[in-house]
Amino acid sequence: MERKVVKPYGNQETSKKEEVAQMFNNISKRYDFLNHFLSVGIDRIWRKKAVNMLREIEPKRILDLATGTGDFAIASLKLQPEEIVGMDISEGMLEVGREKMKKKGVSHIISMNLGDSENLPFEDNYFDALTVGFGVRNYENLEKGLSEMLRVVRPGGKLIILEFSKPKKFPVKQYYAFHSKYIIPFFGKRISKDEKAYAYLPESVAAFPEGKDFTDILSKLGYKNVGSKLVAGGIATIYHGIK
């Protein structure tokens, strides 16, 4: 079944990839504030849980895709890796992230690089672990991006994907529906000055193949020991797999 392509601005002349980069460049200066404000800070807890799932393999080299301003990369520091590579298609987000790394004094461990998740500039089997937080639903070609992720991780390495999902149970389902339809667009528009960006968020979540649909894709592409864990009553899901 062909998946619906959801783009931030819906311009026929530009690709999803181009529009996603433009959107994040537009909102980069206010992104961190809005992200923590709209999630009431629980996005930090989700990342912490995701990072804990990597502890068993003691990764030395970690790739954080769709790194944005680097929150997932920073959360991964507690694993004491030697190198974390953050990569994103938005230079605006990366600029904010680089300043963050300087302030925290971790630029020697975390590098922030411009790049495309669907065409990774790394050799096969380079990383011990890979993380991506709230990014795979923005891929233009989902399966190509997921295949590239698997390619650059070593055999036995672990991949963690944190992504929004659609809660199914009362009262979280009703709360999430109200929050995504009214709260996120209302505050997103006023604080970021980009109306389309925060209307795109719930639209992209609605179009994403979540749960078993997504784990089936991972298994088909060669991910092993694939599993998923709901967090916050199903507002987000942590997917995991081994190469």
Side-chain angles (χ1 to χ4, degrees), residues 62-81:
I62 301 173
L63 175 60
D64 181 41
L65 289 178
T67 193
T69 64
D71 281 346
F72 219 146
I74 290 167
S76 297
L77 284 170
K78 71 175 185 176
L79 298 170
Q80 298 182 310

Side-chain angles (χ1 to χ4, degrees), residues 50-93:
V51 166
N52 281 338
M53 294 170 78
L54 291 174
R55 195 178 289 281
E56 62 184 4
I57 65 165
E58 300 180 350
K60 295 304 174 193
R61 288 176 174 169
I62 301 173
L63 175 60
D64 181 41
L65 289 178
T67 193
T69 64
D71 281 346
F72 219 146
I74 290 167
S76 297
L77 284 170
K78 71 175 185 176
L79 298 170
Q80 298 182 310
E82 294 168 3
E83 176 187 21
I84 301 175
V85 177
M87 181 163 281
D88 202 279
I89 59 171
S90 166
E91 184 59 39
M93 297 285 276

Side-chain angles (χ1 to χ4, degrees), residues 10-109:
N11 189 332
Q12 291 185 337
E13 309 300 317
T14 51
S15 67
K16 178 173 180 177
K17 198 173 294 183
E18 290 170 318
E19 291 200 15
V20 167
Q22 179 190 345
M23 177 187 76
F24 282 114
N25 284 336
N26 289 347
I27 66 175
S28 58
K29 296 294 185 286
R30 305 296 289 157
Y31 178 81
D32 277 346
F33 170 77
L34 266 168
N35 200 28
H36 301 316
F37 173 72
L38 291 172
S39 71
V40 204
I42 57 175
D43 58 306
R44 293 185 177 97
I45 298 170
W46 301 342
R47 287 189 195 87
K48 189 175 181 181
K49 285 184 177 180
V51 166
N52 281 338
M53 294 170 78
L54 291 174
R55 195 178 289 281
E56 62 184 4
I57 65 165
E58 300 180 350
K60 295 304 174 193
R61 288 176 174 169
I62 301 173
L63 175 60
D64 181 41
L65 289 178
T67 193
T69 64
D71 281 346
F72 219 146
I74 290 167
S76 297
L77 284 170
K78 71 175 185 176
L79 298 170
Q80 298 182 310
E82 294 168 3
E83 176 187 21
I84 301 175
V85 177
M87 181 163 281
D88 202 279
I89 59 171
S90 166
E91 184 59 39
M93 297 285 276
L94 290 166
E95 284 175 13
V96 175
R98 287 181 194 116
E99 284 304 310
K100 200 189 289 189
M101 301 314 160
K102 280 182 195 169
K103 285 181 182 173
K104 290 182 177 293
V106 294
S107 297
H108 61 295
I109 300 174

